[in-house]
Amino acid sequence: KGKTNLVESIYSLSLAKSFRTSNSNELLMINKDFAEVKGIFINENYKKIIEIAFLKDGKKIKINNTLVKKTSELNNIVSALYFIPKDTNLLKDVPKNRRQFLNSNISKMNENYLKNIIQYEKLLKERNDALKALRLNFTLIEIITNKLIELSYEIFKERVDFIKKLNPLLNEVYKNISLSETQKISIRYIPFIKELNKAEYEAHAKELYKNSLEEDIKKYKEAKLKEIDSMFENFQKNVNNIKQKINARNNSTIKSME
């Protein structure tokens, strides 16, 4: 009893999040303002105490009673991986889930990779916001896009290197399971852009972004128009409701006067 909670607690001490949900509020008990997990890690060189409080509006991380702002600092103390039955779906699941699996596991071993992923997601949001603006700033969009491309190349390199190191280990495990010396398996990483050379990679990426820019703008314009239509529709409904209430009140006043 409580085995999953124990595993989840250990995992959360390595990344300050659960593997069950990305919404920290779901970790809180009903009518509680926070949830807390604490772990003590001891080796020959140090003793580290990690405390993480999951709040309704965020989280607080302490290492040896000192507040830290960067989640990546946890990786220097504890590295945890988890495997659950649904992980087998990675083989047939959507690419997004496989990327998340790679990101989670590479981040355990490479602090810079985690920083790049966080920065990439931040820049991607900024680019999407810039595309949603009523007045498009193409200079800003280009600057953000170039930064995204630079980061995506670093992320791409680390993924290629991770798969390269993983395959020999994977074959050792498979050999023990299959009891075969001849059968081999491997994982292939097939990215959207395959050029290993940085200059070629960035040139290809810029071309793809340039070709998709018009379509991106169109997509966000359509979404904005739908949002405006929805707002206007709700406004019209509110106006009609107010009119009905006023008419009902006037009718009631006339009847009382009669």
Side-chain angles (χ1 to χ4, degrees):
K1 188 177 180 180
K3 293 190 292 295
T4 303
N5 288 341
L6 177 61
V7 171
E8 185 178 19
S9 297
I10 295 171
Y11 181 84
S12 68
L13 289 167
S14 70
L15 275 179
K17 66 179 181 181
S18 166
F19 57 73
R20 288 190 302 108
T21 175
S22 58
N23 184 358
S24 296
N25 286 337
E26 292 182 17
L27 303 177
L28 276 58
M29 291 180 67
I30 297 173
N31 297 326
K32 297 295 181 181
D33 294 326
F34 70 95
E36 188 175 29
V37 60
K38 178 179 179 180
I40 302 173
F41 300 88
I42 302 171
N43 68 12
E44 295 175 354
N45 301 316
Y46 65 73
K47 174 181 178 181
K48 300 284 186 179
I49 301 173
I50 299 175
E51 298 170 272
I52 302 174
F54 296 98
L55 312 170
K56 289 183 177 180
D57 58 349
K59 52 194 161 193
K60 288 185 179 180
I61 304 170
K62 285 184 180 181
I63 298 176
N64 286 352
N65 211 33
T66 301
L67 276 171
V68 295
K69 294 183 179 179
K70 295 181 180 178
T71 305
S72 56
E73 292 192 36
L74 297 173
N75 276 335
N76 298 326
I77 302 170
V78 55
S79 182
L81 300 176
Y82 75 94
F83 292 95
I84 53 179
K86 74 172 185 178
D87 284 339
T88 56
N89 292 334
L90 283 171
L91 301 174
K92 53 185 179 181
D93 222 335
V94 293
K96 178 185 175 183
N97 291 343
R98 287 192 283 274
R99 286 195 297 270
Q100 288 176 343
F101 181 80
L102 279 175
N103 291 343
S104 175
N105 287 284
I106 300 174
S107 295
K108 301 288 184 181
M109 301 176 290
N110 189 326
E111 186 178 341
N112 285 331
Y113 183 86
L114 178 59
K115 289 177 181 177
N116 286 339
I117 287 291
I118 292 170
Q119 184 64 15
Y120 182 88
E121 290 175 352
K122 182 181 176 184
L123 284 170
L124 188 61
K125 184 180 182 305
E126 288 179 7
R127 185 177 186 272
N128 290 341
D129 289 343
L131 289 168
K132 292 175 187 175
L134 293 175
R135 296 184 66 181
L136 294 174
N137 185 334
F138 288 100
T139 302
L140 176 63
I141 292 170
E142 184 180 3
I143 291 170
I144 296 173
T145 300
N146 288 339
K147 288 182 179 179
L148 273 172
I149 291 170
E150 289 176 15
L151 278 172
S152 69
Y153 178 73
E154 296 303 318
I155 292 167
F156 160 75
K157 277 199 313 178
E158 290 298 336
R159 287 175 178 171
V160 170
D161 188 54
F162 177 78
I163 297 297
K164 187 177 178 181
K165 291 176 180 176
L166 180 63
N167 274 324
L169 300 173
L170 181 64
N171 268 300
E172 283 297 316
V173 173
Y174 182 72
K175 186 169 68 176
N176 292 330
I177 295 172
S178 65
L179 302 177
S180 171
E181 294 292 333
T182 57
Q183 291 182 346
K184 291 186 176 182
I185 61 171
S186 65
I187 298 173
R188 290 178 63 201
Y189 175 49
I190 307 175
F192 201 54
I193 302 172
K194 300 178 179 64
E195 286 86 353
L196 287 170
N197 177 275
K198 185 176 181 181
E200 292 176 0
Y201 179 97
E202 291 185 349
H204 191 176
K206 285 178 181 179
E207 183 183 352
L208 290 173
Y209 270 111
K210 182 180 178 181
N211 292 340
S212 67
L213 181 60
E214 187 176 337
E215 189 62 32
D216 289 340
I217 293 170
K218 181 182 176 183
K219 179 179 72 175
Y220 284 116
K221 271 188 176 179
E222 288 174 353
K224 195 69 179 177
L225 287 172
K226 285 182 180 179
E227 185 183 342
I228 292 170
D229 286 344
S230 177
M231 289 172 63
F232 181 77
E233 187 179 332
N234 289 332
F235 173 76
Q236 196 64 46
K237 284 180 181 178
N238 290 333
V239 169
N240 291 337
N241 288 336
I242 292 170
K243 283 181 178 179
Q244 287 174 4
K245 288 179 181 179
I246 291 172
N247 290 335
R249 187 178 298 171
N250 289 340
N251 290 336
S252 176
T253 303
I254 290 170
K255 285 180 181 179
S256 63
M257 289 175 67
E258 290 174 352

